[in-house]
Amino acid sequence: PDLRCCVADGKLAIDTYTKFGCRVYAELYDEDVTKDNIEALFQRLMREYPMSKKKRVGRLYVMFAGHGVPDPEKNDGSSLFCCHDFDPADPDATAIPLTAIRDKVKKMGIRHILLHLDFCHAGGIFLSYEYSKTLSVCGKSYFGVPYFSQFL
């Protein structure tokens, strides 16, 4: 379904950032928020800004607003971003695992990347087992969940 408040938030973010001279790379709303469209944008970003240890450029702000659900295939805190056409019977085709978003972002040659995840279960990007094993922030962990004592 269309999400009026999410669309309004996205447009407000774009309006705010463009006032400071930021360029809009892409906008997807409502029925355009499909797995194929999102993955195509990430592939385009990875091609245009390939990872290079010698030259990382610029800043990127990515906002996902909508619905999220726990990943039904995993029991490690992983979660999914639900695309516009989300079908709980076929999440592989209609949702994006947050671990996939995280892995794609790590392959970009962009110096500063801010992911704004505004949906239920967005914390799954930090809670998946694979990630929590490698994450160390101030060497602290509470109940197996990394504790963030600073803004990342």
Side-chain angles (χ1 to χ4, degrees):
D2 294 347
L3 302 171
R4 288 181 299 124
C5 292
C6 294
V7 171
D9 290 349
K11 291 184 180 199
L12 177 61
I14 285 174
D15 183 52
T16 301
Y17 282 103
T18 55
K19 286 179 183 175
F20 291 99
C22 297
R23 163 177 86 89
V24 176
Y25 190 82
E27 296 178 67
L28 297 176
Y29 300 108
D30 297 326
E31 65 276 349
D32 291 330
V33 181
T34 65
K35 185 173 183 174
D36 288 342
N37 287 345
I38 294 169
E39 288 184 348
L41 281 173
F42 274 114
Q43 291 301 322
R44 193 171 116 202
L45 278 165
M46 288 187 295
R47 272 193 315 276
E48 290 181 25
Y49 301 97
M51 177 56 82
S52 167
K53 293 184 183 206
K54 294 180 181 178
K55 185 177 179 184
R56 296 182 75 180
V57 298
R59 294 170 183 84
L60 176 67
Y61 170 82
V62 179
M63 178 179 184
F64 284 87
H67 294 296
V69 295
D71 189 331
E73 296 179 4
K74 297 183 178 178
N75 192 22
D76 62 1
S78 297
S79 53
L80 308 170
F81 174 73
C82 302
C83 298
H84 186 269
D85 59 349
F86 179 67
D87 179 358
D90 192 10
D92 288 339
T94 59
I96 299 176
L98 298 190
T99 53
I101 293 170
R102 183 193 67 229
D103 293 345
K104 286 176 180 14
V105 165
K106 287 167 50 176
K107 294 178 182 175
M108 293 178 196
I110 298 174
R111 182 170 299 164
H112 302 284
I113 301 174
L114 174 62
L115 287 176
H116 177 168
L117 306 176
D118 185 8
F119 52 89
C120 291
H121 305 284
I125 198 165
F126 296 114
L127 296 178
S128 69
Y129 177 70
E130 299 87 20
Y131 188 63
S132 64
K133 282 193 319 188
T134 62
L135 182 65
S136 174
V137 177
C138 301
K140 298 179 182 179
S141 177
Y142 293 96
F143 306 109
V145 178
Y147 167 71
F148 298 93
S149 61
Q150 62 189 19
F151 181 76
L152 298 177

